[in-house]
Amino acid sequence: MLHAAKLSFMACVFALACALATPASQSQAADVTLRFANFPPASTFPCVSMDHWVAEVEKLTQGKVKVDTFPAGTLVDARSMVRGVMRGQTDIGCISMAYFPGMFPLMSAFELPLGFESAEKASVLLLQAILKFQPKELEKLKVLTAYTCPPAQVFSRKPVENLEAVKGLRLRAAGILADEVSLLGGTPVSMPQSEAPDAIQRGAVDGVFTSLDVVKDLNYAEPCRFGLLVNMSVYPFIVIMNKKSWEALPEDVKKVFDDLAMPTAQWTGAYVDAHGQDALKWGKEKYGIDYRPLPAEERAKALETVSPLVSKWEAEMKAKNLPAAEMLQFIRAGL
Ligand code: DTR
């Protein structure tokens, strides 16, 4: 009996010694575990941004917060993401606001053809606008960060050498960018980006109206050998958190999340700007894609053609008593 008791005591001492010798970050079980749902495939920049944010969170909280990620709609799909976050089906979700026409009226200003030249600048401005205007449309959500894709281009199965060739093309688009396609003479087919590759393969659309990154990340370079670099609007995204999940976080974790908002916006914008250029080069080398820049005079004509969308938006927002003029002034000052 004495021998067994002695062995048991020695085992306890040994286990205690091991625990004390192990660095806290490895031995400390996470205090908080969160679910982060995303809608596009893991290869795409919203998921690359998600993984970057998660790594930063786990580092800055010394493993106190663990985040389980669910790309490609594996937990919540694109169209259900706002509802999924509101109902707590996921703690965190990424949305492209253009998929929810009418839900984010004031922030849809960032879909307008205002002349954004890079995702990095547009992303920082988007988050600054959210923090400055605190729009009522976002009051039931916690916005963790925000970013945009680079300016949208036309990619097509069919040759599209100039603006005239856009006429009649069925192009996948969303939100106000679908209106741009219409004004440019195309036929917009609205759907989330995650549904576009199948639509192209089925021949349901001739091409897409989006940014260069997906030429590689969704392999659009293979079916869409032709393109016109029109540099039109960007698509704004927000990363949102369930309010109850947010309120349940320890104060020090909330500070980590808030401090990460702007660095994540800037990091994501810079990443996708560079990645878009890499994707164009990759598409040329792998598939010989022929994406032509729009000549300056044609670009001026294109911007003129879609400019009525800005005044239309401003009138609609004023009718809703939203600060339309102030938002447009804020964006134009930040371009
Ligand atoms: N096409 C826009 C924006 C976008 C650009 N790249 C990606 C990658 C994954 C999802 C969306 C996007 C949109 O559909 O929101």
Side-chain angles (χ1 to χ4, degrees):
M1 278 301 284
L2 182 60
H3 183 60
K6 192 173 178 183
L7 280 176
S8 171
F9 174 73
M10 293 293 287
C12 290
V13 168
F14 178 73
L16 180 62
C18 288
L20 291 174
T22 307
S25 58
Q26 291 172 12
S27 62
Q28 176 184 350
D31 297 356
V32 177
T33 300
L34 299 171
R35 295 156 299 168
F36 191 151
N38 219 323
F39 63 94
S43 59
T44 63
F45 88 94
C47 291
V48 172
S49 174
M50 169 174 71
D51 293 341
H52 171 78
W53 182 86
V54 167
E56 287 296 294
V57 163
E58 294 182 351
K59 179 180 70 177
L60 294 170
T61 62
Q62 292 89 38
K64 186 175 177 181
V65 175
K66 182 176 180 304
V67 183
D68 294 328
T69 58
F70 301 88
T74 47
L75 182 60
V76 186
D77 68 30
R79 298 169 192 266
S80 312
M81 195 63 77
V82 175
R83 186 172 57 244
V85 170
M86 297 281 279
R87 291 179 175 175
Q89 194 181 345
T90 181
D91 300 295
I92 301 168
C94 168
I95 66 166
S96 175
M97 290 191 271
Y99 300 175
F100 304 91
M103 190 178 287
F104 306 104
L106 184 63
M107 296 321 298
S108 66
F110 280 80
E111 296 171 37
L112 291 169
L114 294 173
F116 291 115
E117 292 179 353
S118 76
E120 183 174 4
K121 279 189 81 170
S123 299
V124 170
L125 207 54
L126 172 62
L127 184 57
Q128 287 173 337
I130 290 169
L131 297 172
K132 172 183 171 60
F133 289 88
Q134 296 288 319
K136 186 172 175 52
E137 63 210 41
L138 293 174
E139 67 180 1
K140 293 180 179 173
L141 296 162
K142 168 65 182 177
V143 176
L144 294 180
T145 191
Y147 46 76
T148 79
C149 69
Q153 318 293 352
V154 174
F155 314 142
S156 169
R157 283 180 171 283
K158 300 175 180 175
V160 55
E161 304 93 345
N162 51 41
L163 278 180
E164 188 62 26
V166 174
K167 291 190 169 104
L169 284 182
R170 297 168 301 159
L171 296 175
R172 174 268 163 198
I176 293 176
L177 283 87
D179 300 331
E180 283 181 0
V181 169
S182 292
L183 288 175
L184 291 173
T187 302
V189 183
S190 290
M191 68 183 76
Q193 179 81 267
S194 33
E195 297 171 13
D198 179 56
I200 290 174
Q201 291 306 337
R202 286 185 289 111
V205 296
D206 300 310
V208 293
F209 187 51
T210 188
S211 47
L212 284 170
D213 46 288
V214 285
V215 164
K216 180 175 184 180
D217 296 344
L218 294 178
N219 201 36
Y220 285 149
E222 195 280 323
C224 299
R225 302 294 168 96
F226 306 100
L228 192 61
L229 303 179
V230 296
N231 284 316
M232 284 283 121
S233 290
V234 300
Y235 284 96
F237 296 71
I238 48 177
V239 176
I240 52 179
M241 186 168 185
N242 175 283
K243 269 284 179 79
K244 282 184 182 174
S245 300
W246 167 257
E247 291 310 329
L249 293 175
E251 289 308 311
D252 60 330
V253 172
K254 286 180 181 175
K255 185 177 187 316
V256 167
F257 282 24
D258 280 340
D259 289 350
L260 271 177
M262 191 55 79
T264 304
Q266 183 146 24
W267 185 93
T268 304
Y271 165 82
V272 71
D273 281 332
H275 186 62
Q277 295 309 309
D278 293 344
L280 184 61
K281 185 171 177 290
W282 173 86
K284 283 177 184 170
E285 289 166 359
K286 187 167 174 70
Y287 294 107
I289 61 174
D290 175 15
Y291 290 13
R292 303 195 179 171
L294 196 61
E297 65 277 7
E298 286 233 324
R299 176 161 160 68
K301 184 180 157 194
L303 284 173
E304 182 63 31
T305 303
V306 298
S307 62
L309 291 172
V310 181
S311 46
K312 174 173 178 283
W313 177 88
E314 187 171 6
E316 288 170 355
M317 294 309 118
K318 280 182 177 170
K320 296 174 185 279
N321 295 317
L322 292 173
E326 295 83 347
M327 177 62 83
L328 290 176
Q329 184 182 12
F330 175 82
I331 292 173
R332 284 169 172 147
L335 286 178

